[in-house]
Amino acid sequence: MNNLLKMFVFAVLLTATAVAQDQMSGITWNIGLPSGRMATYVDKASYGGFGFNAQKFIEDNTSVGIDLSWNYWSELTGDIITMDHGAISGTQIRYYNVFPMFLNAHYYLSDKGDEFKPYFGLNVGTYYVLQRLDVGVYTLDNDNWHFGLAPEAGFLYEVSNRTYLSATARYNYAFDSGKTLGGKESNTLVYWGINVGIYWATGWF
Amino acid sequence: MNYSSKKSLRRLALMPVVVLVAGLVVVGCYEDYGLTTKDFDAYTTVYMPGTNFQSYKYFLMPDTIMHIVGSGLTDPLAGARKYDRQILDLTASNLQARGYTRLSDTSEIASRSIDPNAVLAVLIGQFANEHSGYYYDYWYGYWGGYYPGWGYGGYYPPSYVYTYDYTVGTNVTEIVEYGKSNSQHRAAPVWVGIVSGLTGEPATAQNRIATGVNRIYEQSPYLYAGQ
């Protein structure tokens, strides 16, 4: 909760500086699709996520910016968890709270006047990951900071003066860091993100 | 600055509010799965690495369950004694279904010239842990807990302090090597199965115990005699 509040405060401060020419910012609804090892822990899509993004154009077709977001997974399961020398089972609630914090750059494949503006980009930064398992009356949890990359492709579509709908597909890759909940060696986290939202622009478009 | 730019700036200035509201909505979306007492049951199994469970063919099991209680204290699981027969029978039937033959007592080892190293001893014990404490729901207290007319008194404890008190009963089944334990004069465990759950719901206890005892064997597919 404290992390979330810090993020909001940061978003407020950021927006205060974003009110200028050649800048745009927006909010997104973030869907997360776990992949790889992460999908063995939570295998369903997450529809509980949101993000904040601000961009500043440094050239006609290139922007740099910041992206703060949150993806949340919660899953009820009765699966058996196999350990090195045994197993544990029972009703479980498995959680992931993932907070990506990125600097990014986008390249736009359109002209200034186009309504439809496809782009691709790269996000670089950190993922703060909270993993938790409730089983029986017991709770196991841990938290780790990961360095991460998230290439993405998407588009903006102008729906009214300086207001855009956005959609982007993002491949999130959080590099190995710390320990998993089960103490296994690799703690790489991979998931796909589909983010849809609305952006407001000043100046450039 | 023209009208259009002012409008855009106002929209931008509103953005943190939108983000904040969206965030709060999401924070409130932690699923309530409506868990019941049985959902707090947990089943844990551990085996000694390198154990060849197929090298054992027999098992011994005392016809009682030991309750582990601190000296001078009342047994919180005394009321659960009525389930002992069920637990012992289910334990024996699970091991027999996996090919192990039950011996009536240790004298049968000598009378039938059975190798003690082919015998397992099954020991079952129970204990309870009481958990109590409190927590303070500061989030509710801060965002939603102010009642007009109450002044700041509405924030003071114990307005948002909640207490909890529950007891967890645990049934531990320990399987030890009979021959090795005898020769080294201490238990040589090869497998432990633990069933734990909340006490205080007699209506479901019998089914939950049966489920738990069966589950610890189901999740131990390596535990069989190979006959």
Side-chain angles (χ1 to χ4, degrees), chain B residues 158-175:
Chain B
S159 299
Y160 306 106
V161 174
Y162 301 89
T163 60
Y164 59 84
D165 186 356
Y166 60 90
T167 300
V168 177
T170 302
N171 186 91
V172 180
T173 304
E174 183 181 66
I175 298 181

Side-chain angles (χ1 to χ4, degrees), chain B residues 60-76:
Chain B
L60 289 160
M61 190 172 74
D63 207 22
T64 187
I65 292 176
M66 177 182 289
H67 281 206
I68 302 162
V69 185
S71 178
L73 300 177
T74 304
D75 180 7

Side-chain angles (χ1 to χ4, degrees), chain B:
Chain B
M1 186 178 289
N2 60 31
Y3 173 75
S4 177
S5 295
K6 286 179 179 175
K7 196 174 175 183
S8 295
L9 292 178
R10 278 200 298 273
R11 282 192 296 230
L12 269 174
L14 282 174
M15 189 168 297
V17 178
V18 175
V19 171
L20 184 63
V21 171
L24 290 174
V25 169
V26 174
V27 166
C29 285
Y30 283 84
E31 287 93 327
D32 175 6
Y33 289 101
L35 301 184
T36 61
T37 300
K38 69 177 173 56
D39 293 313
F40 292 95
D41 294 347
Y43 322 106
T44 306
T45 48
V46 181
Y47 64 88
M48 184 66 72
T51 302
N52 176 11
F53 288 95
Q54 288 70 58
S55 67
Y56 311 103
K57 306 301 176 193
Y58 306 93
F59 72 98
L60 289 160
M61 190 172 74
D63 207 22
T64 187
I65 292 176
M66 177 182 289
H67 281 206
I68 302 162
V69 185
S71 178
L73 300 177
T74 304
D75 180 7
L77 296 179
R81 279 288 183 197
K82 58 179 173 286
Y83 306 118
D84 284 6
R85 184 76 267 151
Q86 177 192 15
I87 293 168
L88 291 163
D89 288 347
L90 276 174
T91 300
S93 63
N94 269 286
L95 289 170
Q96 286 164 337
R98 287 159 183 271
Y100 296 105
T101 301
R102 185 173 186 178
L103 303 176
S104 56
D105 55 47
T106 54
S107 64
E108 208 175 341
I109 296 173
S111 64
R112 293 174 56 185
S113 302
I114 292 171
D115 177 4
N117 293 319
V119 180
L120 295 169
V122 182
L123 310 165
I124 303 176
Q126 290 182 349
F127 59 88
N129 289 111
E130 191 167 328
H131 302 259
S132 62
Y134 68 91
Y135 63 95
Y136 179 57
D137 192 346
Y138 67 92
W139 180 252
Y140 176 75
Y142 186 75
W143 290 100
Y146 180 77
Y147 295 99
W150 281 34
Y152 286 98
Y155 291 119
Y156 292 147
S159 299
Y160 306 106
V161 174
Y162 301 89
T163 60
Y164 59 84
D165 186 356
Y166 60 90
T167 300
V168 177
T170 302
N171 186 91
V172 180
T173 304
E174 183 181 66
I175 298 181
V176 305
E177 295 177 272
Y178 176 77
K180 191 173 179 180
S181 299
N182 264 355
S183 63
Q184 64 185 23
H185 303 295
R186 62 181 175 85
V190 292
W191 184 88
V192 176
I194 302 168
V195 178
S196 64
L198 296 174
T199 63
E201 193 173 279
T204 62
Q206 191 166 9
N207 282 338
R208 289 166 53 210
I209 288 170
T211 298
V213 173
N214 288 326
R215 179 70 69 86
I216 56 178
Y217 295 99
E218 288 166 9
Q219 69 186 42
S220 305
Y222 48 83
L223 180 57
Y224 65 97
Q227 293 174 341

Side-chain angles (χ1 to χ4, degrees), chain A residues 25-98:
Chain A
S25 54
I27 54 174
T28 56
W29 172 44
N30 295 2
I31 300 168
L33 304 163
S35 181
R37 188 187 61 79
M38 184 181 184
T40 65
Y41 188 73
V42 286
D43 60 0
K44 294 184 177 61
S46 154
Y47 298 98
F50 73 95
F52 171 81
N53 188 294
Q55 298 288 315
K56 176 178 177 59
F57 286 85
I58 55 173
E59 291 181 15
D60 276 357
N61 291 80
T62 306
S63 68
V64 294
I66 188 168
D67 185 283
L68 306 170
S69 59
W70 178 30
N71 278 103
Y72 168 74
W73 284 265
S74 168
E75 200 165 300
L76 184 72
T77 179
D79 291 350
I80 295 174
I81 302 169
T82 304
M83 302 180 294
D84 283 344
H85 304 298
I88 185 166
S89 67
T91 302
Q92 304 145 49
I93 306 177
R94 301 177 179 186
Y95 301 96
Y96 261 122
N97 276 279
V98 180

